[in-house]
Amino acid sequence: MPLRSTLTLALLSGAAALSHELLWTRRLIDLLGATGEATSRVFGCFFLGLAIGALVAARVLPRVKSPWLAIAACEVAIALLSAPAMTLPWWSDWVWPALGPGLLVGWAGAATKTVLSVAVVLPPTIPMGMTLPFFTAALLHDRGTLSRQGVLLYGFNTLGGVVGLLVTSLVLLTSLGVVGSMATVAAVNLAIGGLAWRWHAAGQGVAAPSTANTAPGRDRRDRRRSRQSAPTTPLGRRSAMLLAFASGLAMLVLEVLSIRLLGLVVPSSLQATVAVLVAVILLLAAAAIAFPLLLRVNPQPKTWLLFTLSGAAVSASLTPWLFFRGSGQLWQLALPGGRTPATSVEFMWAVCLLALSTIGPAILLGGMVLPTVFAWVGSDQGDRRGKDLGYLLAANGVGGILGAEATDLLVLPRFGIYGGFCAVGVLYAAAAALVLQPWIEWKLSRVIATSIVFVAPLGTWWLIASRVPYLNPKVAKTFAYDDANTRFGRDGVLLIVKRADDSRGILVNNQYLLGSTGSRRDERREVLLPMLLHEKPERVLCVGLATGISAGAALDYSEPCELTAVEISQMVKTAATDHFGEFNGRLGEAPNVDLVVEDGRTYVAATTDRFDVIVGDLYRPYGAGEGRLYSVEHFRATRRALRGGGLFCQWLPMYQMTEEHFGIVAASFLQAYPDGELIRANHNAKNPMLGLLGTKNGPLDLTGLARRTAALESVGRVADSDLLSPEKLRDFYVGRLDAGYFQNHRLNTLDNALVELLAGQRRVTQRPQGPAAAGQDPYLKRRDWERFERRLSKMIID
């Protein structure tokens, strides 16, 4: 089979694999929740399946007579075994209601999530991990060597991941939804399998020499170069697997740290995450594709291994300084004229350029380690069938699993983001020192050489990384923070920040302020206002905790209640209880309060007939995964979670939404609450907030409002005069939503994630100028909010 055709098929296989990973992760997040643990669990299952598949392929390769037939079987198996993920909502809706909220937050919930992750992700990823060793066996039989053509094949397969991520995120998800995208990618797998079977049937089962794309004598020259490139010190299987394991470990630590690092300056969205992954995978592919060319310069893989390990140690250590010094300028230079991105494609290009220019050197040099090991093992006609490649890929995959987990559980909490890069530099330096030992016989020279390798990462940490602030200069103009209160974890960087007026808040990744003591009045209204609209709120659920100021307002109500607050981040919960107790009523110590660390949508889905009032916090519509909380499925779950006469209020940050976003969310809300109503939390045009209000039984009853406000005033714990006056309180009521007005709006569902995709695109694009600028609506604040308020009457039934 011609080399070009084999590389093309390997590229398509890699594209399908990364598309599957992206889609499976999104689908399982809808079921398991968007917690860091759930995401890591899915990620770990994916890498574990690849590692098992590579190991199985290595074991069966000696008995495989036709690699192309094996490839066809694997691709068909991937497509068929993807069906559980594609049909996940149809067979899994019963899981959380059957488990209930009590078991969900305990060991039973964690075990159920693990079983579901393994059942959905592991089966299709095992044949997925088998494909590359089989491709290698098909290519290398009587053709070239692993050190050249085999490494090139690995590079093209990796490059396919870039294609898959871009096509899926920019085209498939927006036009076909999750299920349609999954079906399309499965069809690609079937097409690859069909081509592989056709080549097998045509007599290409075992690849034979071909001159279709090589000059006469090319294969003979490749074999001669391979004999000349034989290393003076052979690399045994154990040493090779150890290096492959270390490469996977270090590379996944670098990848996770890179996503966290870029998150300090890049707006949180699906597009941003995909852009960083595209940059990382593109660099890995470039490293592999370029390596055969480097062997022509110096045919000794061991020399290149020392160079890449030493270079990775230095570049990884310098990444924090390079990023901090250059990120602002590079962001402005990403597009012509330094303008703001106007489309999602431009935004992703800008993020990619930023990633390539800052974390690029470390990823590129680190990414050359594994191809170098392949070349060393495959030199002098080694590994003719790709068997050793399978073992190396398995070891690399296991290292990747441990690297991803170690980053979140050990590296980030212990060293932080900047220190984590230096820790990776030390790891690469240690690997370089081990490789260097057999080359230097004189003991003093060995000590000197090893010391030089370690100087770069350790010196960089002492001189640079430990002194680089986490608050970028733009944000630092508004906030100040204390290093002692900085937290790192799966959710990124959390800072307790203070303004000039001494108000405090929780800042996550320099991007989003999770509540502030300076806006206590509006935050307390988010809970007190819905409680006043209910006859007797005995059980209250707040989906979202942040500083706890909103949830803590429930403790000041005129009658005692049981309060449950669900927060997705353990770091945020700890910050709320440790630093904001005086503002949230000491939630962590109150006997009638239950603070739960869990995904809000999952917790609500597990609850039936439990709460009198449910309050949805202000979720970022553009935040990755947060659009699920504006979905039809979530709104219906809130209704099931209410007791008879219960009330649900979903607050909307109108200052982060457009009129189109509002229409989509309102139309989705009306699917669960046909008699839905609208209230407001303030009259502030700068940060306007609207609340979608729905009741489980019948329309809203305001007849007892005067009695409830009088009772609230009598306890003397609420100073907000607007909540103590029935007349002023009625001013917050806007009216009943007209379902007919919203009937032509699209719905936001778990399948299409419409709000997240549209809001994410709008979040990163340039604010349009003029009334007809590109047909886009600006965010609803200030004058735009005032114009929108005048149009509200058309959406309301008098």
Side-chain angles (χ1 to χ4, degrees), residues 604-625:
V604 171
T607 308
T608 304
D609 297 324
R610 182 179 178 87
F611 296 103
D612 298 305
V613 174
I614 299 177
V615 179
D617 203 350
L618 297 167
Y619 315 124
R620 295 171 298 169
Y622 56 85

Side-chain angles (χ1 to χ4, degrees), residues 11 73 80 114 142 164 279 286 366 373 445 454 479 494 503 588 590 632 662 702:
L11 185 143
L80 296 178
T114 300
D142 293 334
V373 174
S445 299
F454 277 98
F479 300 108
L494 184 148
S503 63
V632 173
F662 172 77
L702 300 178

Side-chain angles (χ1 to χ4, degrees), residues 710-724:
L712 184 62
E713 185 176 14
S714 67
V715 299
R717 291 192 294 263
V718 176
D720 188 349
S721 60
D722 288 343
L723 295 183
L724 303 178

Side-chain angles (χ1 to χ4, degrees), residues 60-75:
V60 304
L61 260 175
R63 298 188 293 275
V64 173
K65 295 181 180 180
S66 173
W68 286 116
L69 184 60
I71 291 170
C74 287
E75 294 290 342

Side-chain angles (χ1 to χ4, degrees), residues 372-503:
T372 308
V373 174
F374 290 163
W376 198 347
V377 170
S379 58
D380 196 22
Q381 302 298 306
D383 197 23
R384 295 297 305 152
R385 295 281 293 174
K387 178 180 178 180
D388 288 339
L389 176 72
Y391 286 117
L392 295 176
L393 289 174
N396 186 257
V398 173
I401 297 171
L402 296 180
E405 283 299 308
T407 307
D408 289 327
L409 299 179
L410 179 63
V411 176
L412 280 170
R414 179 64 182 85
F415 302 106
I417 296 178
Y418 300 154
F421 277 99
C422 294
V424 176
V426 171
L427 178 60
Y428 277 124
L434 291 176
V435 174
L436 188 66
Q437 298 302 307
W439 272 21
I440 302 178
E441 298 180 359
W442 188 30
K443 188 174 181 179
L444 180 59
S445 299
R446 186 179 300 178
V447 171
I448 294 174
T450 303
S451 300
I452 292 174
V453 173
F454 277 98
V455 161
L458 294 176
T460 302
W461 165 246
W462 183 73
L463 292 173
I464 300 173
S466 62
R467 306 181 185 187
V468 175
Y470 281 99
L471 206 61
N472 68 46
K474 181 179 179 181
V475 179
K477 296 178 181 178
T478 306
F479 300 108
Y481 79 103
D482 184 1
D483 284 324
N485 295 325
T486 302
R487 297 290 182 269
F488 305 92
R490 298 182 192 273
D491 308 306
V493 181
L494 184 148
L495 305 176
I496 306 298
V497 295
K498 181 183 292 186
R499 295 178 185 267
D501 60 2
D502 286 335
S503 63

Side-chain angles (χ1 to χ4, degrees), residues 597-667:
V597 177
E598 182 54 79
D599 178 84
R601 203 198 82 79
T602 305
Y603 187 88
V604 171
T607 308
T608 304
D609 297 324
R610 182 179 178 87
F611 296 103
D612 298 305
V613 174
I614 299 177
V615 179
D617 203 350
L618 297 167
Y619 315 124
R620 295 171 298 169
Y622 56 85
E626 294 191 41
R628 305 156 47 253
L629 294 166
Y630 295 124
S631 66
V632 173
E633 293 87 345
H634 176 62
F635 291 146
R636 287 173 175 166
T638 62
R639 184 160 188 166
R640 291 193 300 268
L642 290 172
R643 296 201 293 184
L647 179 149
F648 170 61
C649 181
Q650 177 60 65
W651 292 107
L652 305 178
M654 302 304 293
Y655 49 89
Q656 294 175 332
M657 304 180 77
T658 67
E659 187 168 344
E660 180 187 13
H661 303 155
F662 172 77
I664 293 171
V665 174

Side-chain angles (χ1 to χ4, degrees), residues 60 85 94 135 182 208 220 282 292 327 377 407 424 515 524 532 576 617 632-633 645 650 654 743 762 770 786:
V60 304
W94 61 272
F135 269 115
M182 285 184 173
R220 192 180 305 112
L282 181 63
S327 59
V377 170
T407 307
V424 176
R524 290 171 59 82
L532 282 167
D617 203 350
V632 173
E633 293 87 345
Q650 177 60 65
M654 302 304 293
Q743 64 182 355
R762 182 65 188 85
E786 294 171 358

Side-chain angles (χ1 to χ4, degrees), residues 16 71 73 76 160 165 195 251 280 307 356 402 422 426 476 483 515-516 563 634 638 652 654 689 692 725 744 793 797:
I71 291 170
V76 172
L165 287 174
L195 286 174
M251 187 49 58
V280 170
F307 169 77
L356 293 171
L402 296 180
C422 294
V426 171
D483 284 324
S516 168
L563 172 65
H634 176 62
T638 62
L652 305 178
M654 302 304 293
M689 294 167 14
L692 295 170
S725 167
N744 293 325
S793 59
I797 298 176

